[in-house]
Amino acid sequence: LFAPIAVMTLCGFNDTHGRLNIVWSGFTLKWFADPFGVTALTNAVQTSLVTATIGAFISTVLGTMIALASHRYRFRGKALLDAVMVMNIAASEVVMGAALLTLFIAGNVPFGALTIFFAQVMFSFPFVAIPLRARLVRFDNSLEEAAQDLGASPLTTFMLVTLPIIFPGVLAAALLAFALCLDDYVITSFVSGNTLTFPLWVYGATRLGIPPQVNVIGTFIFLAGALLAVSFAMIRSWRN
């Protein structure tokens, strides 16, 4: 894991002058001084961040609602819902991408950012619902009952009692969904049309040569994720 990350980071400091950034030519900081010098790359990164943020948000809301409903209630089709979510995670990305492509074609939906967003929601919400439902197993329902006995409405009970208790799990699931949406290539390639996300742009650039700015942006993404992970770990240790 760390070897590819180290190579990616070092390539961001490489003073390359050719089409391929595979031979060390000297140390430089010019790529970090202008990480968004390639307009097409910048647009692809912006598209990825926007679609991943919206997709992760909707997936988190939808997954949380499904987890709460599945934990609290018995309803017809519950076993089928569980099976569909598990199959969603276990299914090949090629199969899911082809299925979504067929769905959008049948529905005459124009390909672009909208189809990317819908596809990301479809494949990421089970990664929110299933782990969060496992966390709800240890949830004490008497806390909600006590709040409602004191006059709190269902919405107030959820916002002031339920959500604060399950928030660490919700946040972890949201970050996982965001990472999946931001990083996805296979499914997105089926439904993107002419819209390019960061992974799609990088793959297309390999035929001509990947600019060093890709390594710089990749380093920034890794550092942001590492900073979030360390920050949440420190906050959790302080609370304990």
Side-chain angles (χ1 to χ4, degrees):
L1 174 63
F2 291 102
I5 294 174
V7 172
M8 175 189 68
T9 304
L10 288 175
C11 288
F13 293 103
N14 186 19
D15 189 17
T16 181
H17 300 285
R19 186 169 60 88
L20 301 177
N21 188 14
I22 57 176
V23 178
W24 182 259
S25 302
F27 181 84
T28 184
L29 292 174
K30 63 182 180 181
W31 310 122
F32 281 85
D34 187 23
F36 302 108
V38 181
T39 303
L41 173 60
T42 302
N43 293 335
V45 172
Q46 291 176 347
T47 301
S48 288
L49 291 175
V50 170
T51 56
T53 300
I54 298 176
F57 177 77
I58 300 299
S59 297
T60 302
V61 174
L62 181 62
T64 301
M65 294 171 62
I66 292 175
L68 288 171
S70 180
H71 171 71
R72 292 176 177 175
Y73 307 112
R74 295 182 180 275
F75 52 88
R76 184 175 300 175
K78 181 178 179 180
L80 179 61
L81 175 62
D82 294 341
V84 169
M85 289 194 296
V86 172
M87 287 190 295
N88 197 327
I89 295 177
S92 168
E93 290 186 338
V94 174
V95 173
M96 185 173 296
L100 289 170
L101 174 64
T102 304
L103 175 65
F104 292 142
I105 292 176
N108 198 25
V109 180
F111 292 100
L114 183 63
T115 52
I116 294 175
F117 156 71
F118 280 125
Q120 289 179 346
V121 171
M122 288 299 296
F123 73 72
S124 63
F125 83 87
F127 290 92
V128 177
I130 293 178
L132 191 56
R133 188 177 61 183
R135 183 177 179 85
L136 286 169
V137 171
R138 296 180 295 176
F139 184 80
D140 188 359
N141 294 327
S142 63
L143 298 175
E144 292 181 327
E145 296 173 357
Q148 293 179 0
D149 288 341
L150 294 174
S153 65
L155 179 60
T156 302
T157 301
F158 174 78
M159 297 300 297
L160 299 182
V161 178
T162 308
L163 184 59
I165 294 175
I166 67 175
F167 182 73
V170 173
L171 182 59
L175 292 176
L176 175 59
F178 178 79
L180 291 171
C181 294
L182 184 66
D183 183 62
D184 180 70
Y185 168 79
V186 177
I187 298 175
T188 305
S189 65
F190 279 90
V191 300
S192 61
N194 294 324
T195 303
L196 292 178
T197 60
F198 180 55
L200 294 178
W201 191 93
V202 172
Y203 179 78
T206 56
R207 293 174 293 180
L208 301 176
I210 300 177
Q213 284 87 347
V214 170
N215 299 297
V216 174
I217 294 175
T219 301
F220 287 160
I221 294 174
F222 168 75
L223 291 177
L227 180 61
L228 283 173
V230 172
S231 299
F232 288 130
M234 293 178 64
I235 292 172
R236 186 174 181 178
S237 64
W238 289 339
R239 287 183 176 179
N240 294 335

